[in-house]
Amino acid sequence: MSRLFPICRSLTGEGVRTTLKILQEHMPGLTIHEVPSGTTCLDWQVPDEWNIRSARLTNPDGEVIADFDTHNLHVVGYSEPVDVKLELEELQKHLYSSAKMPEAIPYVTSYYKRTWGFCISEKQRQTLKPGRYHAHIDSSLTPGSLTYGELILPGESKDEIFLSTYVCHPSMANNELSGPVVATWLAKHLQALPKRRHTYRIVFIPETIGSIVYLARHMDHLKQHVKAGFVLSCVGDDRAYSYLPSRCGGTLADKAALHVLDHLHPGYQKFSYLQRGSDERNYCWPGIDLPMCSIMRSKYATFPEYHTSADDLTFVTESGLQGAYQALLMTIDCLEKNKTYITTVLGEPQMGKRDLYPTIAMNGNVSKGRARLLVDILAYCDGTNDLFDLAHILNRPAWELFELMDVLLHHGLIREKN
């Protein structure tokens, strides 16, 4: 994250390419794709490519007010090139600050309407004196391409788990970089597994337009094969855990996310899909409706540092990143193990002859513990309950049942439902 933080990313441009090449060092199978400007994708078009080399705003005395080299949030994203001198009154139309975070630089963009601007703190803005200012932005907005990364890890099944994160924001730590870095380490874990039941599709895209582009290219395949998916965003701070559902809820992804959070972090915050704001907007759109939801730490747009320079490397924490990683990893592990089972015998099986039940009954010793739990599992293996359903009925974390299901399979007391 520290290495990626200084890079100026946007919807397009060299910052995205540089970021993906760094991630590629950890994921050699990550492929980088280019989609030409002007390409029609659903109701959208890929915009021109934006690159910026330098920018500086100076006051009438020649003092630097904002410098891109000092912080890349100082420039409105997608600002067209400009080299003008103008009075403060006119300059104000191109200045942006935040009264809610008066000492921070806000993050401002104008992707689809050409303009330019500088972002400064509200505190600094109040000190500006009348006079003639010099605004210089050395940037380019020209036909090029949109860049995204894709990693596909084949499994035993063509059924897919889909992870999507974005690489389009400049120097912000939680809102931008926490998603890609946690996704990268999940990918490294998945790559190291001796076998995978599911196929994993992990994409690193520009937010909104990137998911639109990806859907335009892969929608039919995704609708057919994705069984659960997660948008990774804002997974780095240490203040909260959050859940945002799919559009209609009730998908396998929702079931898995809720189960893990209920048992690992029961104080998590539940949000409505009406409070959405990331790529779930497109993945869950009517007619697409991929089974995708989000597990986050502090949800985007809920913390004061959001979209400002205060979302820096001091805002995210090692424990924050690790907590999100573990929650998502446990969700993936549960999905890997999730199956629906059917008992293979009629009536309660004779567990004692299989050394799975006490042969001496005394003072209720058969009504609790491991032996009873095995029988309770069997009682609900009727072909309608998957692992998450069983765990819910038994009020146990699904991962506590992993070994028990293996025992029952080993003894031939259950079989997987076809």
Side-chain angles (χ1 to χ4, degrees):
M1 184 180 283
S2 297
R3 185 178 172 194
L4 294 169
F5 188 78
I7 299 169
C8 184
R9 287 164 290 270
S10 189
L11 293 189
T12 60
E14 291 302 322
V16 177
R17 295 186 186 97
T18 300
T19 297
L20 292 174
K21 287 175 183 176
I22 291 173
L23 296 179
Q24 205 172 40
E25 296 173 14
H26 297 279
M27 298 174 286
L30 182 71
T31 57
I32 298 176
H33 301 267
E34 302 282 356
V35 183
S37 300
T39 302
T40 298
C41 300
L42 305 184
D43 196 41
W44 297 60
Q45 278 194 337
V46 175
D48 282 347
E49 182 175 324
W50 183 66
N51 287 290
I52 181 168
R53 289 161 290 278
S54 65
R56 180 175 289 182
L57 176 66
T58 54
N59 70 8
D61 298 326
E63 297 172 343
V64 177
I65 301 301
D67 193 333
F68 175 79
D69 289 339
T70 302
H71 204 300
N72 53 37
L73 291 186
H74 271 310
V75 179
V76 171
Y78 257 64
S79 283
E80 59 187 356
V82 66
D83 189 3
V84 296
K85 291 184 178 180
L86 64 175
E87 295 296 325
L88 177 60
E89 183 179 356
E90 186 178 0
L91 174 65
Q92 293 284 10
K93 302 172 186 177
H94 297 277
L95 288 183
Y96 300 87
S97 59
S98 171
K100 292 182 179 180
M101 291 289 287
E103 296 189 359
I105 306 165
Y107 170 53
V108 180
T109 62
S110 181
Y111 295 134
Y112 300 103
K113 181 178 180 180
R114 292 210 171 193
T115 186
W116 63 271
F118 284 89
C119 302
I120 59 176
S121 71
E122 178 68 15
K123 184 177 180 180
Q124 184 182 22
R125 188 172 188 172
Q126 296 303 322
T127 67
L128 298 182
K129 55 188 178 183
R132 199 163 180 79
Y133 287 73
H134 183 196
H136 177 256
I137 298 176
D138 181 12
S139 65
S140 60
L141 260 171
T142 57
S145 62
L146 175 148
T147 313
Y148 70 87
E150 176 188 57
L151 178 68
I152 297 177
L153 303 174
E156 297 172 339
S157 168
K158 292 184 178 179
D159 291 345
E160 294 186 4
I161 307 298
F162 183 30
L163 305 179
S164 178
T165 191
Y166 50 81
V167 286
C168 58
H169 291 57
S171 295
M172 288 178 287
N174 195 40
N175 180 225
E176 171 69 0
L177 291 175
S178 65
V181 298
V182 168
T184 297
W185 254 253
L186 288 170
K188 288 161 72 74
H189 168 82
L190 292 166
Q191 285 178 312
L193 292 177
K195 64 178 182 178
R196 294 175 291 269
R197 177 181 165 209
H198 294 94
T199 292
Y200 286 83
R201 181 180 297 264
I202 308 174
V203 297
F204 301 80
I205 56 177
E207 194 176 20
T208 305
I209 185 64
S211 55
I212 291 284
V213 166
Y214 200 77
L215 285 167
R217 290 184 151 202
H218 302 284
M219 182 164 51
D220 290 343
H221 178 93
L222 296 173
K223 289 172 66 174
Q224 181 179 355
H225 292 287
V226 171
K227 302 306 176 185
F230 305 91
V231 177
L232 275 61
S233 171
C234 295
V235 287
D237 75 293
D238 223 344
R239 296 177 181 171
Y241 283 87
S242 307
Y243 159 73
L244 186 98
S246 61
R247 184 174 69 90
C248 297
T251 71
L252 180 57
D254 293 294
K255 183 188 288 190
L258 287 168
H259 180 81
V260 169
L261 289 172
D262 281 343
H263 286 279
L264 287 184
H265 307 288
Y268 70 96
Q269 299 178 41
K270 288 185 180 181
F271 290 90
S272 161
Y273 185 72
L274 296 175
Q275 295 166 291
R276 66 196 181 279
S278 190
D279 284 320
E280 68 278 346
R281 303 180 342 263
N282 296 312
Y283 293 135
C284 296
W285 195 261
I288 300 172
D289 273 321
L290 296 182
M292 297 188 71
C293 65
S294 296
I295 294 174
M296 295 170 279
R297 298 301 306 250
S298 293
K299 176 185 171 291
Y300 46 80
T302 65
F303 51 93
E305 297 87 351
Y306 176 71
H307 274 195
T308 76
S309 58
D311 183 1
D312 59 17
L313 293 174
T314 66
F315 180 56
V316 297
T317 66
E318 181 178 345
S319 59
L321 290 164
Q322 183 71 21
Y325 171 80
Q326 290 293 348
L328 285 156
L329 184 60
M330 189 62 74
T331 304
I332 288 171
D333 285 348
C334 289
L335 287 168
E336 280 287 287
K337 292 283 189 178
N338 187 51
K339 297 178 182 178
T340 301
Y341 297 96
I342 302 175
T343 57
T344 59
V345 297
L346 291 176
E348 182 173 296
Q350 222 290 12
M351 305 291 278
K353 70 181 182 181
R354 298 174 173 88
D355 293 325
L356 298 176
Y357 216 71
T359 55
I360 296 178
M362 178 180 176
N363 198 25
N365 66 323
V366 297
S367 65
K368 56 187 175 182
R370 175 186 171 90
R372 180 54 186 261
L373 188 55
L374 286 168
V375 176
D376 285 345
I377 291 171
L378 287 170
Y380 286 93
C381 285
D382 58 4
T384 65
N385 297 310
D386 65 10
L387 180 66
F388 292 113
D389 297 324
L390 292 173
H392 178 71
I393 291 167
L394 299 170
N395 194 27
R396 301 271 184 149
W399 46 93
E400 289 187 4
L401 305 186
F402 290 171
E403 186 263 340
L404 299 176
M405 306 308 292
D406 289 339
V407 168
L408 294 173
L409 283 167
H410 173 74
H411 287 277
L413 293 173
I414 58 173
R415 64 176 175 84
E416 184 180 348
K417 181 181 179 181
N418 295 326

